[in-house]
Amino acid sequence: MASARYRGSRMAVQRWRAAEILRLGIGEGEQLGYSRATRAARVLERPIAALLASCQAFRTLDEHARAAGNSAATRAQLQMLAHDGLLVEEAALRARLRAAPHPDADHLTISTVSVVTADRVASLRQCLSSYLDNAQAHQRALRLRVMDDARGPDARIATQQMLGALASERGAEIAYAGADEKRTLAAALGADGEIPQDVIDFALFDPEGCGRTTGANHNAQLLFCAGEAFLSVDDDSTARFAPIPGGDSALELSSGYHAPATWFYPDRAGAMKAVPFEHGDVIAIHERLLGRPVANCISEYSRDNDLLVDNLGSRLLRGIEQGHAEVLVTQTGLVGDAGTPNLPAVSRLTGESRDRLVRSEAAYRQAMRSREIVRGRSRLTMTDNPFLSTGPALALDNRRLLPAFFPVLRNTDGIFGLTLRATIESGCIAHLPWALEHVPSEDRPIPQDALARLASRSVTHEFITAAIHSFPSIPGGQGTRTDRIVALGRHLRAVGSLDNRAFLEFLRPWIWRAKSVAIEALVDDLATHDNRPAYWTADVHRYLDTLREALADSGYFSPADLPPVRGDADPGDLTRRLVRRFGELLTWWPAMVARAQRLRSDGRVTVKSL
């Protein structure tokens, strides 16, 4: 009896939640409930199944009972759910994580900073100089690589002249890859005819004339840096960094998406004054985590009460317990320009970020015009969620095969994150609680019609992500990275090989589903905040009304970011072809990376030393 009383009192102070519950109706007013975290299955009456589904956050059973009506029967039902393994207990979940195997893994050293650039000589010099200053201050040997995407020969010559002068002034090791070096690489990759030349060209150039090739420049990075970890930075950023305001020392393990904490400023000076820039080693903040098993990071960087598991999913839990989960990408936040036309009204901001957005109509209107912000995670967050925000710095563990970037147009980071999740089951992204300075020289206000433009037409990355989402995901036993990357490539190639009508019929429901989820989330936000304040509500309703009407219009599915079609060409041709060509690229990508690594080892293809 004493033992039972002890267990009862202990259960009263423990915190519980439902974790990834699958609920299926089985008739007779009953549902089958299954917890992926505990692998427990039970037949439940519908009211009890609904009670289980309501337990989304860690609370004591009494707190869950009060939220659900505070009856004795509810408390008893919750105890039954906990006893049957359908509720997960917080301390027990932490204990499982700390008991996970710790694979042997040395801390890696990042010696290469690779900068993607195009036609920004002055910004590039500022960027490189800042990293050289930081490396010198911390006695760090550093190689700089510049991936130049400038179209014209004059711009490429100007960039190389600046780099040569900087290398001489600073005694720095600077290497350069522009159009000529990339063409040399492309020719070497396809020299024996095994890898199709059109696939190589799509990876590194813009044969379809889309006009924006940031992803292709990232692919050049992956190939020229094959076999090594490196830090990739934008040419309009610097090595200056500051902690995200309001941060703490906790380590969060998360599988869900939550908008980063955001602060809004009318101008850049205000944003820069808002954060205390530090003089630490900007590369070290990535090195301590990149390539590390997540179980090892839990042991090294968290105490028991500082390990947050509220949003931990079963896939990430399984990867940690099997010793497979590892950090493949690290990303900082930013201070300065947002990197994209930021639309905070429909960004699903929560908590203090939303409070800052709507604290007054004047503040809200300013935030809807200015892209000057501070954005990032307030604590170190390791996640298997694919979200990668547009940011000025990514560190990539390229010692082993990573997937290719989608070569053209916008949101290539976001597509890369989704491709990473689809092909490397236990691969994780670590979001670092630091903001990196992002300071493009040109003014980039948000267009006044940005909400309407966003809602009225699709963009190409929505088709690419929809096609990736349609790829079946089978947990465990999925083969090697090469197998999965090739399998995804074949899937995308098959989707992109449909005729235009079948292609649209296949992908349109996937895009509709994604938009439906987004619409429902914004409707929930409106209800949660009681349609207040009115100025925010009016913008959200305007966005939703435009989007609802557009989704039923066939014109919505002609991406707004593609170049105009010529003559009587079908607008869907290029969209479909881009999906197919990305599939072909992924199919051949493992062979391209292996070939690039051999070429590097043999010294047959190198970047140009300046």
Side-chain angles (χ1 to χ4, degrees):
M1 180 68 71
S3 176
R5 282 198 300 271
Y6 170 74
R7 287 197 301 271
S9 62
R10 185 169 179 270
M11 181 174 280
V13 298
Q14 292 171 320
R15 286 161 36 99
W16 306 77
R17 71 169 171 91
E20 288 194 75
I21 297 295
L22 176 66
R23 297 163 59 203
L24 299 171
I26 55 176
E28 301 296 328
E30 293 180 326
Q31 291 188 351
L32 179 66
Y34 173 71
S35 169
R36 291 187 171 94
T38 64
R39 298 184 176 88
R42 296 290 184 274
V43 174
L44 304 170
E45 296 178 358
R46 283 185 182 274
I48 299 177
L51 173 63
L52 173 64
S54 73
C55 300
Q56 293 301 307
F58 278 115
R59 297 174 177 171
T60 66
L61 296 184
D62 284 339
E63 289 169 339
H64 281 302
R66 283 195 292 272
N70 203 28
S71 69
T74 299
R75 180 65 167 74
Q77 290 164 353
L78 288 165
Q79 281 186 295
M80 179 269 293
L81 293 171
H83 181 270
D84 288 348
L86 293 174
L87 292 176
V88 176
E89 198 270 315
E90 185 177 30
L93 184 54
R94 287 174 173 158
R96 287 175 61 179
L97 292 163
R98 295 196 179 280
H102 290 48
D104 292 334
D106 295 330
H107 285 272
L108 61 76
T109 298
I110 297 175
S111 301
T112 298
V113 172
S114 181
V115 187
V116 290
T117 189
D119 303 308
R120 290 178 180 155
V121 177
S123 291
L124 176 62
R125 182 182 176 95
Q126 176 177 285
C127 173
L128 296 174
S129 297
S130 73
Y131 277 94
L132 290 170
D133 291 341
N134 189 272
Q136 183 178 15
H138 297 281
Q139 294 80 52
R140 176 183 289 277
L142 190 64
R143 294 188 298 268
L144 295 172
R145 285 199 175 122
V146 174
M147 299 289 128
D148 188 8
D149 212 21
R151 295 290 191 270
D154 291 345
R156 294 195 294 272
I157 291 170
T159 297
Q160 292 178 71
Q161 289 175 339
M162 180 276 290
L163 294 175
L166 182 63
S168 178
E169 292 168 15
R170 302 294 299 267
E173 182 181 345
I174 303 178
Y176 172 88
D180 291 341
E181 291 73 23
K182 292 173 188 176
R183 280 193 288 268
T184 299
L185 172 62
L189 290 172
D192 63 2
E194 178 188 355
I195 304 171
Q197 196 64 49
D198 65 324
V199 174
I200 298 170
D201 290 345
F202 183 66
L204 295 173
F205 307 111
D206 185 17
E208 295 286 1
C210 293
R212 185 183 181 92
T213 51
T214 305
N217 221 7
H218 281 300
N219 287 336
Q221 279 186 326
L222 292 174
L223 294 171
F224 279 116
C225 297
E228 66 172 308
F230 64 95
L231 178 63
S232 172
V233 301
D234 290 350
D235 61 359
D236 53 4
S237 66
T238 77
R240 294 213 310 158
F241 66 104
I244 298 294
D248 57 44
S249 60
L251 168 60
E252 182 173 355
L253 301 175
S254 176
S255 298
Y257 168 73
H258 300 280
T262 309
W263 290 257
F264 306 94
Y265 300 94
D267 52 43
R268 185 163 300 163
M272 296 301 162
K273 289 178 183 177
V275 294
F277 286 99
E278 299 192 352
H279 301 287
D281 187 339
V282 70
I283 296 177
I285 64 175
H286 295 272
E287 277 180 339
R288 63 196 288 257
L289 298 160
L290 188 66
R292 302 289 292 160
V294 174
N296 298 31
C297 295
I298 292 171
S299 176
E300 293 174 29
Y301 301 121
S302 74
R303 298 184 300 274
D304 189 60
N305 290 334
D306 284 343
L307 181 61
L308 305 181
V309 294
D310 296 62
N311 298 300
L312 174 66
S314 60
R315 172 173 157 151
L316 179 53
L317 174 62
R318 180 176 61 249
I320 295 171
E321 290 189 314
Q322 293 175 349
H324 301 320
E326 58 183 320
V327 178
L328 300 182
V329 180
T330 56
Q331 182 177 43
T332 61
L334 62 83
V335 52
D337 182 80
T340 59
N342 189 34
L343 293 173
V346 294
S347 296
R348 301 220 59 219
L349 298 174
T350 60
E352 294 179 355
S353 294
R354 184 183 181 278
D355 292 343
R356 287 188 287 269
L357 173 66
V358 300
R359 70 180 186 272
S360 70
E361 183 168 3
Y364 173 78
R365 297 297 178 202
Q366 184 62 63
M368 290 291 286
R369 290 193 298 269
S370 172
R371 289 173 34 154
E372 300 300 324
I373 62 172
V374 174
R375 182 182 67 211
R377 305 290 173 178
S378 59
R379 63 175 62 94
L380 173 60
T381 303
M382 295 185 182
T383 178
D384 62 344
N385 184 279
F387 173 75
L388 276 174
S389 63
T390 299
L394 290 174
L396 299 163
D397 185 3
N398 197 36
R399 296 173 299 173
R400 295 170 60 200
L401 179 66
L402 296 175
F405 282 76
F406 183 66
V408 294
L409 302 171
R410 289 189 176 274
N411 199 32
T412 55
D413 286 353
I415 296 171
F416 177 77
L418 186 60
T419 309
L420 190 77
R421 177 179 169 87
T423 56
I424 306 176
E425 184 183 16
S426 297
C428 291
I429 298 166
H431 295 282
L432 310 179
W434 303 95
L436 199 71
E437 185 178 53
H438 186 222
V439 284
S441 58
E442 68 274 17
D443 187 31
R444 298 176 175 179
I446 299 174
Q448 289 188 346
D449 63 345
L451 273 175
R453 287 166 59 183
L454 177 67
S456 60
R457 292 277 295 277
S458 63
V459 286
T460 302
H461 73 77
E462 292 174 323
F463 285 84
I464 306 300
T465 56
I468 296 171
H469 279 302
S470 72
F471 178 58
S473 178
I474 304 172
Q478 298 186 29
T480 66
R481 295 186 185 194
T482 295
D483 294 336
R484 289 293 292 171
I485 291 172
V486 170
L488 175 59
R490 289 172 175 165
H491 174 77
L492 297 183
R493 185 173 62 191
V495 172
S497 296
L498 298 169
D499 64 56
N500 287 354
R501 181 174 180 178
F503 171 79
L504 186 57
E505 285 301 306
F506 179 75
L507 285 187
R508 185 162 48 191
W510 288 94
I511 295 173
W512 276 335
R513 289 187 194 104
K515 294 299 180 182
S516 175
V517 170
I519 289 170
E520 288 179 2
L522 286 171
V523 170
D524 287 345
D525 280 353
L526 290 168
T528 297
H529 298 291
D530 197 25
N531 284 283
R532 296 177 183 174
Y535 42 86
W536 167 75
T537 298
D539 278 347
V540 175
H541 278 298
R542 186 158 47 249
Y543 171 81
L544 290 176
D545 290 345
T546 303
L547 178 57
R548 290 186 185 109
E549 183 175 351
L551 286 174
D553 190 322
S554 60
Y556 180 83
F557 293 95
S558 294
D561 55 342
L562 289 180
V565 298
R566 298 181 180 89
D568 58 354
D570 188 325
D573 276 343
L574 180 53
T575 310
R576 178 187 54 77
R577 208 159 55 240
L578 288 171
V579 172
R580 176 178 58 77
R581 297 192 74 162
F582 188 43
E584 291 170 345
L585 169 56
L586 291 175
T587 303
W588 286 101
W589 183 250
M592 290 176 63
V593 172
R595 178 74 55 82
Q597 197 158 357
R598 289 196 300 272
L599 292 169
R600 285 192 69 197
S601 299
D602 296 343
R604 285 184 284 164
V605 172
T606 62
V607 285
K608 181 178 182 179
S609 295
L610 297 171

